Amino acid sequence: FPEMVSNPKLVLVQGTLNVVMKQNVTLSCLSEPGSPPVRYILFKHNQQVSALNRSDSSPALFTLTISSASDAGEYKCKAEYNNSSGGKYSNSINFTLLEPVSKPVLSSPTSQAKKGQNVTLSCFSENGSLPITYLFFKGTQNISPQKTMQKRKAAVIFLFINSLSDFGTYKCKANNSFPNITKYSNGFNFTLAEDRSHSQPLIISLGLILLLLIIGFALAIPLFLIPLYKASE
């Protein structure tokens, strides 16, 4: 009877564990000791990807093309004798897809503010491999420490509107481990909110004056019409 296969060893022989789209990688699977012929099967998340037979002691080489996010993840291989049940599994190798960040969106719950008010700004890139690092700017000057998000959620900063100079243009930028890619957001401006504490009394006063004029005009009409009516008699 042939010797039982041992747990095979899965090794990355070409490429990197952090991969970009359309990148080729090669995995080597070999069981030692073991008597050939041996069948090697490559799995991704328990689904068979490929299978190779070896009649000698050379390793099985599997070349993959990472063409989408679904191609990344955990891989294992299995070694078994041909036409036999059972077999042994290897260690796992995990590929992480590096996707460039998309253009971030800079937003705020309010677009109007007044002096002495606290406001928030949120910066969010919908796409891109994690983690993503965000940095906020006013004009060309950064206004906060960089924020690295391990989850796909917006980076948020809090601002205090202290003077009219705080009503400039704000932007943010986003980048991740994808090489040499940085994306900038749209510009965002706060507009100065009208101070209702002064405008409301003025509006009320103007309304009262208008109402008094209408009442006075209504009372004055009979005074003009009565003499005209008597004169016509």
Side-chain angles (χ1 to χ4, degrees):
F1 291 97
E3 184 180 359
M4 290 293 294
V5 293
S6 61
N7 289 88
K9 180 177 290 187
L10 187 63
V11 179
L12 177 67
V13 294
Q14 179 187 347
T16 58
L17 294 179
N18 293 323
V19 294
V20 297
M21 206 76 77
K22 305 297 183 182
Q23 181 176 334
N24 291 329
V25 294
T26 301
L27 295 170
S28 168
C29 186
L30 179 63
S31 176
E32 291 182 346
S35 299
V38 177
R39 178 176 174 83
Y40 293 98
I41 306 171
L42 185 67
F43 291 89
K44 180 184 179 296
H45 294 311
N46 299 321
Q47 289 191 343
Q48 181 174 328
V49 175
S50 183
L52 292 172
N53 294 326
R54 284 291 178 264
S55 58
D56 53 22
S57 58
S58 63
L61 298 178
F62 299 98
T63 298
L64 308 170
T65 301
I66 308 299
S67 57
S68 67
S70 62
D71 295 327
E74 184 183 74
Y75 287 83
K76 286 186 178 183
C77 73
K78 180 184 179 183
E80 62 184 22
Y81 289 115
N82 285 338
N83 302 319
S84 67
S85 59
K88 298 290 183 66
Y89 286 90
S90 73
N91 56 295
S92 62
I93 286 182
N94 202 336
F95 290 105
T96 300
L97 180 64
L98 296 183
E99 181 184 8
V101 292
S102 58
K103 180 180 178 179
V105 175
L106 185 64
S107 61
S108 175
T110 179
S111 60
Q112 291 188 331
K114 57 185 179 181
K115 289 189 291 183
Q117 181 178 343
N118 290 309
V119 294
T120 61
L121 282 173
S122 300
C123 186
F124 179 66
S125 287
E126 186 174 357
N127 299 311
S129 51
L130 298 172
I132 297 176
T133 299
Y134 297 95
L135 192 61
F136 292 82
F137 296 88
K138 180 180 178 296
T140 59
Q141 183 178 5
N142 64 296
I143 55 174
S144 71
Q146 66 180 21
K147 293 179 176 290
T148 300
M149 310 303 293
Q150 302 291 340
K151 296 181 179 180
R152 196 164 299 282
K153 57 188 296 187
V156 179
I157 63 169
F158 300 90
L159 301 174
F160 180 70
I161 303 299
N162 190 44
S163 65
L164 292 177
S165 63
D166 295 324
F167 288 92
T169 300
Y170 293 87
K171 284 189 175 184
C172 67
K173 73 174 183 179
N175 65 277
N176 60 4
S177 53
F178 197 92
N180 303 320
I181 296 291
T182 297
K183 297 289 181 68
Y184 286 85
S185 74
N186 53 295
F188 186 90
N189 290 76
F190 292 104
T191 57
L192 181 62
E194 184 181 0
D195 192 348
R196 295 184 177 181
S197 61
H198 292 88
S199 62
Q200 285 184 345
L202 179 60
I203 293 173
I204 293 173
S205 299
L206 291 175
L208 289 174
I209 293 172
L210 181 62
L211 180 61
L212 291 173
L213 288 174
I214 293 173
I215 293 172
F217 185 71
L219 293 174
I221 289 176
L223 298 177
F224 287 102
L225 292 179
I226 291 173
L228 291 175
Y229 176 75
K230 288 183 177 182
S232 63
E233 291 178 351

